[in-house]
Amino acid sequence: MTGFSTCGAVTKASRSVATEQLRQTIMGLCAFPTRHTLSGARGVDAAADWLARRFQSFGGNLRVEKDTWLEPKGQRVDKPTNISNVYAKITGSRHPNHWVVISGHYDSRVTDVMDATSIAPGANDDASGVAVTLEAARVLAKSKPEIGIIFAALTGEEQGLLGAKHLAENLAAKGETVVAMATYDIVGNSMGADGRKRTNYIRIFSGGDTPGETTVSATRRRTTGLDADSPSRTLARSLADVAKRYIRGFHTEIVYRQDRFGRGGDHSPFHAAGVAAVRFTEPNEDWTHQHQDLRVDAGIDYGDKPEYVDFDYLTKVASLAAAWVADVSHAPLPPTGVTLVTDLAPVTTLKWRPNPDAIGYEVLVRLSTKAEWEKTIPIGKQSTVEAKLPFSKDDYVFGVRAVGKNGARSIAVIAGR
Ligand SMILES: [Zn+2]
């Protein structure tokens, strides 16, 4: 059969992204002297209120929520402190308890992680990720997705991923399901520490382990060689595929690593809870503009200032963000019961359960050694729940995804895991 069409909501969202909106969010956040998590009323708390008002100004179907809790004394929190995440949410029309989460962290820091008073613009780390999150919210504000969306401006990342842990725990405690989570952190600078500018891709980091997997599934994973197909890595591949389908001249590089060396991010508490969660970060970081006291030293201008953000690059990053959030949230839930028949045959047979929201399915195929899907094979109708494929199951990995009547694609599910 011929392929399924693309999704109008995805195209519209990605094309509506506006550079000026991204600039306004970053300049607005950088106007606070610091957004250090412990900076109180004139710093981080004022920034939270500003973010809530900005989310509110986008109107549409967004419900804005400021989520405040008392964070106890901890390694990087010197005394119990009230801190806040700021969310805009759209509840899913078909699946009110399923969510897609996109985040950036609005707290900032300088060289000393406990310094709550020095000027800390945090333009790239991570006003850039917050700007991407807000822009995705703005362009999708009027949409009515099947799966809900949480646009999250998180706090306390630099003090130990506090806001992300809080959100992940709260969603789990309420029994809500997170279909996909991605954090945008350090996504706006295209000029690397090596002096090379890279403007046509972004990295996606994903953990290769599968926290919480059962002994049975761990054994199956080892014996079938699906070690490179954890839920988070499968999400990374699905998002890389969105870039190929919708964003011209911009791609992703999947990194087989949960994060950069010695660094952490807000996707990690979600990944640790068994949620498919990834991190987006620019190709080539420049550490003179991260976590630095503002100063000039030996001719080097240190500090995370807005003049080091490449807004044209950030616009491409935000276009991809709007595209994948639209695609996954407008799609049916991922297929269930995806199995691979382990017969001694030169063809591969896959089976899955019918998905009432799908008009059909796509089988994704790649050699076991390839990072990204190589082939997309459209499969019949909603009631077609089996595919025979002319590829050796010994050499290839297979995924199945559901296609909605609007052309949106679900996250893929790996066959045989
Ligand atoms: Zn950061």
Side-chain angles (χ1 to χ4, degrees):
M1 69 170 285
T2 51
F4 297 103
S5 64
T6 54
C7 177
V10 176
T11 309
K12 184 167 176 249
S14 67
R15 290 195 184 151
S16 303
V17 164
T19 310
E20 183 50 31
Q21 294 287 336
L22 295 162
R23 190 189 312 273
Q24 280 178 25
T25 300
I26 291 185
M27 297 317 284
L29 286 171
C30 290
F32 298 97
T34 176
R35 304 184 309 276
H36 190 279
T37 306
L38 309 175
S39 60
R42 286 215 300 273
V44 73
D45 295 344
D49 291 337
W50 183 85
L51 284 166
R53 287 196 301 276
R54 188 153 169 79
F55 268 135
Q56 208 91 56
S57 74
F58 302 151
N61 304 319
L62 298 173
R63 269 183 304 109
V64 181
E65 220 177 277
K66 190 172 150 192
D67 177 6
T68 305
W69 69 99
L70 185 67
E71 182 66 35
K73 185 173 166 6
Q75 216 179 7
R76 292 183 172 188
V77 178
D78 57 1
K79 58 176 187 298
T81 308
N82 276 310
I83 60 174
S84 308
N85 288 337
V86 186
Y87 316 122
K89 297 182 183 175
I90 305 178
T91 302
S93 59
R94 292 276 299 161
H95 308 288
N97 301 110
H98 286 72
W99 300 93
V100 172
V101 179
I102 174 171
S103 81
H105 71 86
Y106 72 95
D107 62 306
S108 66
R109 65 171 284 187
V110 288
T111 307
D112 173 3
V113 72
M114 297 306 289
D115 180 346
T117 54
S118 295
I119 302 288
N124 196 29
D125 185 10
D126 179 35
S128 68
V130 176
V132 167
T133 302
L134 264 70
E135 189 56 359
R138 190 186 69 84
V139 301
L140 287 165
K142 293 189 179 68
S143 69
K144 294 191 179 78
E146 277 80 348
I147 298 171
I149 312 172
I150 301 176
F151 304 94
L154 300 176
T155 192
E157 196 271 351
E158 307 291 5
Q159 309 313 110
L161 317 178
L162 306 178
K165 283 178 189 162
H166 177 82
L167 177 58
E169 280 165 17
N170 277 14
L171 288 169
K174 284 193 218 148
E176 309 282 297
T177 301
V178 178
V179 176
M181 188 279 175
T183 194
Y184 283 76
D185 196 353
I186 311 181
V187 292
N189 178 18
S190 58
M191 179 63 86
D194 61 1
R196 286 181 62 190
K197 202 171 163 75
R198 294 173 175 88
T199 59
N200 64 344
Y201 75 95
I202 187 158
R203 293 180 291 170
I204 312 181
F205 290 84
S206 60
D209 59 328
T210 306
E213 71 183 334
T214 62
T215 316
V216 173
S217 83
T219 304
R220 199 185 308 134
R221 170 176 56 74
R222 281 194 295 272
T223 53
T224 54
L226 290 170
D227 295 300
D229 290 85
S230 71
S232 293
R233 194 147 298 151
T234 302
L235 172 61
R237 272 186 201 105
S238 290
L239 304 189
D241 188 69
V242 174
K244 280 187 192 148
R245 281 182 283 135
Y246 288 99
I247 312 292
R248 216 167 281 157
F250 192 72
H251 67 279
T252 62
E253 287 292 342
I254 292 174
V255 183
Y256 276 17
R257 209 162 256 147
Q258 192 176 335
D259 213 320
R260 300 102 73 235
F261 278 95
R263 309 293 294 270
D266 284 337
H267 59 312
S268 293
F270 287 86
H271 173 77
V275 171
V278 301
R279 172 193 185 118
F280 283 85
T281 296
E282 65 201 26
N284 197 11
E285 294 171 75
D286 184 344
W287 300 278
T288 63
H289 305 308
Q290 289 179 23
H291 302 188
Q292 296 281 359
D293 292 333
L294 301 193
R295 67 194 191 278
V296 177
D297 194 356
I300 296 167
D301 185 29
Y302 289 90
D304 189 354
K305 300 192 283 190
E307 53 260 47
Y308 298 112
V309 173
D310 176 344
F311 283 94
D312 290 332
Y313 176 74
L314 187 63
T315 304
K316 296 181 200 173
V317 174
S319 297
L320 174 55
W324 78 255
V325 172
D327 198 30
V328 179
S329 65
H330 285 72
L333 289 178
T336 55
V338 181
T339 54
L340 183 151
V341 179
T342 55
D343 52 2
L344 298 177
V347 296
T348 298
T349 304
L350 305 182
K351 293 182 180 187
W352 56 89
R353 279 195 277 277
N355 183 330
D357 296 337
I359 56 158
Y361 309 88
E362 285 174 336
V363 171
L364 303 161
V365 185
R366 65 173 217 277
L367 277 168
S368 70
T369 48
K370 296 285 192 225
E372 295 187 25
W373 296 115
E374 297 178 288
K375 295 179 176 67
T376 303
I377 301 166
I379 304 289
K381 316 188 281 272
Q382 187 264 336
S383 56
T384 310
V385 289
E386 187 177 316
K388 276 199 194 324
L389 304 151
F391 301 104
S392 161
K393 57 182 121 0
D394 298 329
D395 301 349
Y396 288 87
V397 179
F398 304 87
V400 182
R401 69 184 175 203
V403 183
K405 61 180 181 301
N406 53 16
R409 267 70 161 178
S410 76
I411 300 295
V413 175
I414 301 297
R417 249 189 93 93

